[in-house]
Short mmCIF file of all heavy atoms in Angstrom, two decimals:
data_model
loop_
_atom_site.label_atom_id
_atom_site.label_comp_id
_atom_site.label_asym_id
_atom_site.label_seq_id
_atom_site.Cartn_x
_atom_site.Cartn_y
_atom_site.Cartn_z
N LEU A 12 -3.04 -6.64 -5.76
CA LEU A 12 -4.38 -6.97 -5.26
C LEU A 12 -4.91 -8.25 -5.90
O LEU A 12 -5.50 -9.08 -5.21
CB LEU A 12 -5.34 -5.81 -5.51
CG LEU A 12 -5.12 -4.56 -4.66
CD1 LEU A 12 -6.02 -3.43 -5.13
CD2 LEU A 12 -5.34 -4.86 -3.18
N ALA A 13 -4.70 -8.42 -7.18
CA ALA A 13 -5.17 -9.62 -7.86
C ALA A 13 -4.51 -10.87 -7.27
O ALA A 13 -5.15 -11.90 -7.09
CB ALA A 13 -4.90 -9.52 -9.36
N LYS A 14 -3.22 -10.75 -6.95
CA LYS A 14 -2.49 -11.89 -6.37
C LYS A 14 -2.97 -12.17 -4.94
O LYS A 14 -3.17 -13.32 -4.56
CB LYS A 14 -0.99 -11.59 -6.38
CG LYS A 14 -0.14 -12.71 -5.84
CD LYS A 14 1.33 -12.35 -5.93
CE LYS A 14 2.17 -13.44 -5.31
NZ LYS A 14 3.59 -13.08 -5.27
N ARG A 15 -3.14 -11.12 -4.14
CA ARG A 15 -3.51 -11.29 -2.72
C ARG A 15 -4.99 -11.58 -2.51
O ARG A 15 -5.36 -12.36 -1.65
CB ARG A 15 -3.16 -10.03 -1.93
CG ARG A 15 -1.69 -9.76 -1.76
CD ARG A 15 -0.99 -10.77 -0.86
NE ARG A 15 -1.65 -11.02 0.39
CZ ARG A 15 -1.50 -10.32 1.51
NH1 ARG A 15 -0.70 -9.29 1.53
NH2 ARG A 15 -2.15 -10.65 2.59
N VAL A 16 -5.86 -10.93 -3.30
CA VAL A 16 -7.30 -10.98 -3.08
C VAL A 16 -8.01 -11.85 -4.11
O VAL A 16 -8.95 -12.57 -3.80
CB VAL A 16 -7.90 -9.55 -3.11
CG1 VAL A 16 -9.40 -9.57 -3.01
CG2 VAL A 16 -7.30 -8.70 -2.01
N GLY A 17 -7.55 -11.76 -5.35
CA GLY A 17 -8.25 -12.39 -6.47
C GLY A 17 -8.77 -11.28 -7.36
O GLY A 17 -8.39 -10.12 -7.21
N PRO A 18 -9.66 -11.62 -8.29
CA PRO A 18 -10.16 -10.57 -9.19
C PRO A 18 -10.93 -9.50 -8.43
O PRO A 18 -11.46 -9.75 -7.36
CB PRO A 18 -11.06 -11.33 -10.16
CG PRO A 18 -11.30 -12.66 -9.55
CD PRO A 18 -10.24 -12.92 -8.54
N CYS A 19 -10.98 -8.33 -9.03
CA CYS A 19 -11.74 -7.23 -8.45
C CYS A 19 -13.18 -7.68 -8.24
O CYS A 19 -13.73 -8.43 -9.04
CB CYS A 19 -11.69 -6.03 -9.40
SG CYS A 19 -12.64 -4.62 -8.84
N CYS A 20 -13.81 -7.23 -7.16
CA CYS A 20 -15.17 -7.67 -6.85
C CYS A 20 -16.13 -7.39 -7.99
O CYS A 20 -17.03 -8.17 -8.25
CB CYS A 20 -15.67 -7.05 -5.55
SG CYS A 20 -16.04 -5.30 -5.67
N ILE A 21 -15.92 -6.32 -8.71
CA ILE A 21 -16.78 -5.99 -9.84
C ILE A 21 -16.58 -7.02 -10.95
O ILE A 21 -17.52 -7.55 -11.50
CB ILE A 21 -16.50 -4.56 -10.35
CG1 ILE A 21 -16.85 -3.56 -9.25
CG2 ILE A 21 -17.28 -4.27 -11.62
CD1 ILE A 21 -16.30 -2.18 -9.48
N ASP A 22 -15.31 -7.35 -11.25
CA ASP A 22 -15.02 -8.35 -12.27
C ASP A 22 -15.53 -9.72 -11.86
O ASP A 22 -16.10 -10.44 -12.65
CB ASP A 22 -13.51 -8.44 -12.53
CG ASP A 22 -12.94 -7.13 -13.08
OD1 ASP A 22 -13.72 -6.34 -13.63
OD2 ASP A 22 -11.73 -6.92 -12.94
N ALA A 23 -15.31 -10.08 -10.60
CA ALA A 23 -15.74 -11.39 -10.11
C ALA A 23 -17.25 -11.54 -10.18
O ALA A 23 -17.77 -12.58 -10.56
CB ALA A 23 -15.25 -11.61 -8.68
N ASP A 24 -17.98 -10.48 -9.83
CA ASP A 24 -19.44 -10.53 -9.88
C ASP A 24 -19.93 -10.61 -11.33
O ASP A 24 -20.85 -11.35 -11.63
CB ASP A 24 -20.05 -9.30 -9.21
CG ASP A 24 -19.81 -9.30 -7.70
OD1 ASP A 24 -19.48 -10.36 -7.15
OD2 ASP A 24 -19.96 -8.22 -7.10
N ALA A 25 -19.30 -9.85 -12.20
CA ALA A 25 -19.73 -9.83 -13.59
C ALA A 25 -19.45 -11.17 -14.27
O ALA A 25 -20.26 -11.68 -15.02
CB ALA A 25 -19.02 -8.70 -14.34
N ILE A 26 -18.30 -11.74 -13.97
CA ILE A 26 -17.91 -13.00 -14.59
C ILE A 26 -18.61 -14.17 -13.92
O ILE A 26 -19.03 -15.13 -14.57
CB ILE A 26 -16.38 -13.20 -14.52
CG1 ILE A 26 -15.67 -12.10 -15.31
CG2 ILE A 26 -15.97 -14.55 -15.02
CD1 ILE A 26 -14.19 -12.03 -15.06
N GLY A 27 -18.77 -14.10 -12.60
CA GLY A 27 -19.38 -15.20 -11.86
C GLY A 27 -18.55 -16.46 -11.94
O GLY A 27 -19.06 -17.57 -11.96
N ASN A 28 -17.25 -16.29 -11.98
CA ASN A 28 -16.33 -17.40 -12.19
C ASN A 28 -15.91 -18.02 -10.86
O ASN A 28 -15.18 -17.42 -10.09
CB ASN A 28 -15.11 -16.90 -12.97
CG ASN A 28 -14.18 -18.01 -13.38
OD1 ASN A 28 -14.36 -19.16 -12.98
ND2 ASN A 28 -13.19 -17.66 -14.17
N ALA A 29 -16.36 -19.24 -10.61
CA ALA A 29 -15.99 -19.93 -9.37
C ALA A 29 -14.54 -20.40 -9.40
O ALA A 29 -13.99 -20.77 -8.38
CB ALA A 29 -16.93 -21.12 -9.15
N ASP A 30 -13.93 -20.39 -10.58
CA ASP A 30 -12.52 -20.81 -10.69
C ASP A 30 -11.57 -19.74 -10.16
O ASP A 30 -10.39 -19.99 -10.01
CB ASP A 30 -12.17 -21.10 -12.15
CG ASP A 30 -12.94 -22.30 -12.69
OD1 ASP A 30 -13.37 -23.13 -11.86
OD2 ASP A 30 -13.10 -22.39 -13.91
#
Side-chain angles (χ1 to χ4, degrees):
L12 289 173
K14 182 178 176 185
R15 292 292 311 274
V16 175
C19 178
C20 72
I21 297 165
D22 297 338
D24 292 343
I26 297 168
N28 187 353
D30 294 337

